[in-house]
Amino acid sequence: MSAGGGASRGARWTFAAAAILIFLFLYAPIAVLVAFSFQESQVLSWPIEAWSFRWYRLLLEDRELQQALWNSLMVASACVTVTTLAGVPLALALRRLRGRLGRFLEQTFLLPLIVPQFITGLALLIVLNRSDIGLSLWTVILGQSLVWMPIVVVQVHARLQRFDANLEQASMDLGANRLETFFLVMLPNLRTAVVGSALLVFTLSFDELPVTFFLTGAENTLPMHIWSMLRIGITPEINAIASLTVGASVGLILLGVWLLAKDRRRL
Amino acid sequence: MWQAKLQRHRIEIVCAIAAIGYLVVFIGLPYANVFAFSFWEKDLYTLRPALSPENYARAFTNDLYRQVILNSAEVATIVTLVSSVLGYLLAYYLAVYAERWRNLLFFLLIVPLWTSFLLRAYIWKIILGRNGILNSALTQAGVLDQPASFLLYNKFSISIALIYIFLPFVALPVYAALEKIPRGYVEASADLGSPPWATFWHVVFPLTVPGLAAGAMVVFCLSFGDFITPSLLGGTGDIMIANVIIAQFGAAYDWPFGSALAILVLLIVMLLVGLSVWIGRTVSRGRA
């Protein structure tokens, strides 16, 4: 929908003003944060009198932080692997189930996305505790995979709804077995849904705190490490970490947009 | 006879077993354990299986817990209302007026979604704090004599951070709904003599209600169940229900009571999800 020629000028300017204010609200804090990350002084004060890379240098020396970053990358990659390998078959299974049962299962699959995450975290903590399984990064991976599974299932399932079942039939008629049909005919059609949800799971997992909070043992992920830093007090080092994550996410999105555009050109 | 039937539906049966198996083990079992635990008893340092309604009775009769739930509901309501209004305005501008700026602005709307929740809550600490940028600016400009302390560690700071975080959650589904409205609908309404506000109210708005309801529901549930923002930006009087539940699993070591509170939160969330689905369905059926 877009405005016809009759749209009044007053309405246009009112909405534009509101939009500018809202974007200012969304971005001014990020600008402040980035500015403070280059402040020399330990105590935050405005205006900034001396600028330096001091806090970024500190990050380079912070071993614990680097370990946490590494752990987060491992956990996020493992979650992507688990949710993709289990989520795609689950979506295929759901597609086969029609009627009441299918609809019921489809809705129940969404549960971990709807329930507040910390409740899923404590629910798993109870189960693990009762089965005497110790907490570690493995339990974090289990918990997060469980929470992000619906994303993969729903995205792939939605794409399957649009998939032309005749193509599948044709492939089988031409002598391909089910496995060949899946890899050669269906998977190429599911590609963007699979890659898209994998990217989403990666970033969500990288940032996840509520489930990890309950399920991590001695090792910290990056958000857990930042969380414990924040509990101690404000250190300007956090501003530097935050600025870097904003930069990294902008980079990732641009990469995603570029990949999608390239994908579309090829089709 | 049934064997032939079994043979014919072999794949469906395998699929059903796989899906149901996953649901039972990875979704049903954990939540069922919370439910079972909510009836357990706690003796000093041991947890004992039982079928006691004690934990629920405690949640309902103790003023403290009722207050905390009301606190959380109040914050979540404010956050939902404000981010719905702001998110709607923004989505409407993007869909209707933005024109050549649309792609750039849409990009700017999703960037914050990809950055850390934790850090987006933290930002407000350096903005609203006693030595924060707002106080520094206001004192230097002579508006305040000395830094104000009422900006941080209260419901205001929790709400503003949550609005900041969740605004795109409303803007995005509303934008998607607005995008799908064929231009002809609006033109037809105008041709039939409706003033612009009537076209908006009777044609455009109802078509965006399902998206708006879904977005608002997500915002409410996420705010209601958040523990990060209140513990970073809230005062001692502003703890929310998630903080209380987490404390039961930590220092208080009262898992059964924590489980009972978690079940109550689950029920509230489910009720709201049902409500928003119902609103979405009723409105779209009324217009179909």
Side-chain angles (χ1 to χ4, degrees):
Chain A
M1 195 179 91
S2 68
S8 84
R9 191 158 268 208
R12 170 184 299 266
W13 286 112
T14 317
F15 273 104
I20 290 171
L21 286 177
I22 295 168
F23 272 115
L24 213 62
F25 170 62
L26 289 177
Y27 277 88
I30 296 180
V32 169
L33 183 87
V34 175
F36 271 129
S37 77
F38 291 107
Q39 186 194 28
E40 165 87 70
S41 132
Q42 172 92 44
V43 188
L44 301 179
S45 69
W46 190 264
I48 294 171
E49 273 150 21
W51 303 80
S52 87
F53 281 104
R54 181 179 166 194
W55 306 110
Y56 289 90
R57 264 200 304 279
L58 208 63
L59 289 186
L60 288 177
E61 290 155 16
D62 191 337
R63 288 265 157 263
E64 263 182 69
L65 180 86
Q66 287 162 19
Q67 183 61 47
L69 174 67
W70 177 247
N71 287 344
S72 276
L73 289 172
M74 297 294 285
V75 168
S77 318
C79 284
V80 168
T81 314
V82 173
T83 51
T84 307
L85 288 182
V88 175
L90 281 171
L92 288 170
L94 272 189
R95 172 172 173 252
R96 286 278 174 181
L97 305 170
R98 288 173 207 285
R100 233 173 232 283
L101 177 72
R103 235 171 304 137
F104 171 76
L105 289 177
E106 206 184 314
Q107 276 161 12
T108 324
F109 260 101
L110 285 175
L111 218 51
L113 267 192
I114 297 164
V115 170
Q117 278 165 29
F118 80 96
I119 294 184
T120 308
L122 67 88
L124 283 167
L125 177 67
I126 293 177
V127 174
L128 292 169
N129 194 277
R130 295 186 81 179
S131 26
D132 272 324
I133 298 172
L135 301 180
S136 64
L137 286 182
W138 293 109
T139 48
V140 173
I141 294 168
L142 171 77
Q144 290 200 10
S145 301
L146 233 145
V147 172
W148 309 134
M149 193 70 78
I151 293 178
V152 180
V153 175
V154 168
Q155 299 254 9
V156 175
H157 188 245
R159 181 64 54 89
L160 280 169
Q161 302 287 328
R162 281 188 280 140
F163 179 73
D164 186 356
N166 287 329
L167 284 175
E168 200 184 357
Q169 203 55 54
S171 161
M172 309 265 279
D173 286 347
L174 291 170
N177 62 29
R178 279 193 188 280
L179 221 55
E180 286 165 341
T181 303
F182 173 72
F183 281 106
L184 299 176
V185 179
M186 298 179 78
L187 201 54
N189 276 291
L190 297 176
R191 194 183 50 209
T192 45
V194 173
V195 172
S197 49
L199 258 174
L200 195 58
V201 168
F202 189 90
T203 43
L204 287 172
S205 159
F206 195 72
D207 183 35
E208 212 282 339
L209 186 68
V211 173
T212 314
F213 181 83
F214 282 99
L215 299 180
T216 189
E219 299 108 319
N220 267 349
T221 58
L222 189 60
M224 280 297 287
H225 185 75
I226 297 174
W227 174 250
S228 51
M229 282 170 90
L230 286 175
R231 306 287 288 180
I232 299 165
I234 294 184
T235 96
E237 209 185 331
I238 294 173
N239 300 336
I241 302 176
S243 306
L244 285 180
T245 57
V246 173
S249 18
V250 173
L252 264 180
I253 302 177
L254 286 177
L255 182 74
V257 170
W258 180 71
L259 281 176
L260 267 181
K262 217 174 98 179
D263 199 52
R264 212 168 292 148
R265 265 205 305 275
R266 204 178 323 147
L267 283 178
Chain B
M1 176 67 191
W2 62 269
Q3 270 170 333
K5 218 171 179 174
L6 214 62
Q7 193 67 33
R8 194 144 34 89
H9 291 285
R10 205 180 55 206
I11 293 171
E12 279 77 6
I13 291 167
V14 171
C15 287
I17 290 174
I20 294 171
Y22 177 85
L23 276 178
V24 169
V25 175
F26 291 109
I27 296 178
L29 190 72
Y31 297 131
N33 262 287
V34 180
F35 188 64
F37 247 67
S38 68
F39 295 101
W40 282 32
E41 286 171 341
K42 180 203 165 200
D43 284 331
L44 222 50
Y45 295 110
T46 53
L47 307 178
R48 200 179 48 223
L51 256 177
S52 142
E54 193 54 41
N55 294 314
Y56 290 99
R58 193 172 145 205
F60 282 116
T61 52
N62 192 322
D63 280 345
L64 174 72
Y65 302 115
R66 202 183 315 146
Q67 192 52 49
V68 169
I69 292 183
L70 287 178
N71 248 350
S72 315
E74 187 191 334
V75 168
T77 309
I78 293 170
V79 170
T80 308
L81 287 178
V82 177
S83 31
S84 297
V85 172
L86 296 183
Y88 202 102
L89 280 175
L90 194 58
Y92 197 81
Y93 176 77
L94 275 184
V96 179
Y97 297 112
E99 289 162 12
R100 68 202 162 95
W101 298 102
R102 187 172 300 147
N103 285 338
L104 174 71
L105 293 179
F106 185 77
F107 177 72
L108 287 179
L109 187 60
I110 56 170
V111 166
L113 283 181
W114 290 64
T115 60
S116 162
F117 182 102
L118 186 57
L119 292 171
R120 273 181 291 155
Y122 154 80
I123 288 181
W124 290 94
K125 214 167 173 158
I126 58 176
I127 292 175
L128 298 174
R130 256 191 91 78
N131 299 320
I133 180 163
L134 202 60
N135 265 322
S136 308
L138 288 178
T139 38
Q140 270 159 31
V143 181
L144 291 174
D145 294 334
Q146 51 181 17
S149 53
F150 58 80
L151 291 171
L152 190 58
Y153 301 124
N154 50 36
K155 283 200 194 99
F156 168 74
S157 49
I158 299 177
S159 306
I160 204 159
L162 288 173
I163 293 165
Y164 175 71
I165 294 169
F166 292 138
L167 198 153
F169 282 63
V170 179
L172 288 173
V174 172
Y175 174 76
L178 285 168
E179 275 278 88
K180 269 190 246 147
I181 299 176
R183 199 168 166 161
Y185 283 24
V186 178
E187 281 165 4
S189 171
D191 289 348
L192 292 171
S194 297
W197 63 267
T199 301
F200 173 77
W201 189 246
H202 294 294
V203 179
V204 176
F205 184 70
L207 290 168
T208 57
V209 165
L212 180 64
M217 185 266 294
V218 170
V219 171
F220 189 95
C221 293
L222 290 177
S223 320
F224 190 72
D226 181 39
F227 68 93
I228 296 171
T229 318
S231 47
L232 285 180
L233 304 174
T236 40
D238 313 305
I239 47 169
M240 292 184 27
I241 188 66
N243 302 82
V244 176
I245 297 175
I246 284 173
Q248 305 306 315
F249 282 81
Y253 193 65
D254 195 343
W255 289 23
F257 184 55
S259 301
L261 290 176
I263 293 292
L264 291 180
V265 170
L266 269 185
L267 287 179
I268 294 173
V269 167
M270 290 300 157
L271 211 71
L272 283 167
V273 173
L275 186 71
S276 94
V277 171
W278 181 79
I279 290 176
R281 223 178 262 161
T282 319
V283 171
S284 36
R285 191 182 300 143
R287 302 280 150 178

